[in-house]
Amino acid sequence: MKTSLTDVVVSLLYVLLAIVVTLFVIEFVLPYLSFKSDTGFLQLKQQYYPNLIWRVCFYIHVFSAFLLLAAGLTQFSSNFLNTYRKLHRIIGRFYAWELFLINFPTGMVLSVTAIGPWIAKLGFVVLDCLWFWYTYKAVVAIKQNNVLLHKHFMMRSYGLTLSAITLRVINVITMNYLHYDPIVVYTIVAWMGWLPNLLFVELLIRRQVKKALTVVERDKIVTSYN
């Protein structure tokens, strides 16, 4: 009964996350298909918008990031992994290579040109570097057949991928309800848009490790009595 309830809760969480990602795409990604210079976040980036390289990086990053969000939705489901193992690997490779070759470099361009003081820029640079590093470590781990370590690093990577959503949620809350100065808001968002995600993932990993160690210790006790 406990396992069944857990499966139901996990399934509901996946559905909820899928809905959130869909709403995010509709609200924050599709409007940029107009390619107007004053759409959404671009209103604050008028000094960079005329620069062709910056503009290309911005649109590539925006339109490709949601693909990582969608790809990650399937990768942590045990049922999906057991049923579609080959597809799991294909999606995983797509996630890693898109991040390495597209999202990391374009994200770095946007990070160093972020609004506000150097502390705001640093927040986005650290986010981008950790995003790359955790994904790289996940790839290395699975090549060494360390499935558990691979899973944990991918959890960290996807937690940072989800910052695309949490960044904007925190931005909307602080701008519309706290009425802070836009520069102050952007500095806060640069760090608080992803640090809570990473903290939550670390707590999940710690819980999983603790649970696994408990099972191992219990098995040792049972074996000793037998």
Side-chain angles (χ1 to χ4, degrees):
M1 182 68 177
K2 186 176 179 180
T3 303
S4 178
L5 180 60
T6 301
D7 290 341
V8 170
V9 171
V10 170
S11 297
L12 289 175
L13 287 175
Y14 271 114
V15 171
L16 177 61
L17 186 56
I19 293 173
V20 170
V21 170
T22 301
L23 292 175
F24 166 77
V25 172
I26 293 173
E27 180 68 21
F28 295 107
V29 177
L30 293 184
Y32 289 109
L33 287 173
S34 68
F35 293 100
K36 293 181 179 179
S37 63
D38 60 347
T39 302
F41 170 75
L42 290 175
Q43 296 178 36
L44 302 175
K45 308 294 289 188
Q46 293 301 300
Q47 71 271 39
Y48 295 113
Y49 192 83
N51 185 298
L52 179 60
I53 294 177
W54 187 92
R55 198 160 64 245
V56 169
C57 287
F58 174 81
Y59 284 116
I60 288 176
H61 190 76
V62 167
F63 294 134
S64 62
F66 86 91
L67 295 177
L68 296 185
L69 287 168
L73 285 175
T74 62
Q75 296 304 88
F76 300 98
S77 169
S78 298
N79 291 332
F80 184 88
L81 174 59
N82 294 329
T83 307
Y84 307 103
R85 188 173 296 273
K86 185 175 181 180
L87 184 57
H88 172 86
R89 293 194 186 101
I90 292 172
I91 294 175
R93 290 191 184 103
F94 168 80
Y95 178 98
W97 283 112
E98 185 187 331
L99 194 153
F100 293 151
L101 300 179
I102 298 176
N103 288 95
F104 171 72
T106 57
M108 189 57 68
V109 170
L110 300 182
S111 296
V112 298
T113 58
I115 299 170
W118 67 268
I119 191 68
K121 294 177 173 62
L122 180 62
F124 290 114
V125 169
V126 172
L127 164 61
D128 207 34
C129 289
L130 287 177
W131 200 25
F132 182 96
W133 177 246
Y134 288 146
T135 308
Y136 170 75
K137 293 291 287 183
V139 171
V140 171
I142 200 61
K143 286 183 178 294
Q144 296 173 344
N145 293 319
N146 192 331
V147 176
L148 185 60
L149 192 61
H150 168 73
K151 178 181 178 181
H152 288 167
F153 276 117
M154 281 306 299
M155 287 172 65
R156 295 180 177 106
S157 173
Y158 193 63
L160 295 181
T161 299
L162 288 173
S163 68
I165 295 175
T166 53
L167 280 166
R168 284 154 182 83
V169 170
I170 293 175
N171 185 65
V172 168
I173 292 174
T174 51
M175 287 292 288
N176 295 337
Y177 298 101
L178 300 182
H179 304 292
Y180 288 159
D181 180 88
I183 301 301
V184 175
V185 169
Y186 208 65
T187 304
I188 294 172
V189 168
W191 292 94
M192 294 308 295
W194 59 272
L195 277 174
N197 296 23
L198 201 54
L199 177 61
F200 178 72
V201 169
E202 291 298 337
L203 291 174
L204 281 181
I205 291 173
R206 184 174 181 180
R207 182 174 180 273
Q208 290 180 2
V209 171
K210 186 178 180 180
K211 184 177 179 180
L213 290 174
T214 302
V215 171
V216 170
E217 290 300 322
R218 184 184 64 197
D219 289 345
K220 285 182 178 179
I221 293 173
V222 171
T223 302
S224 65
Y225 274 96
N226 291 336

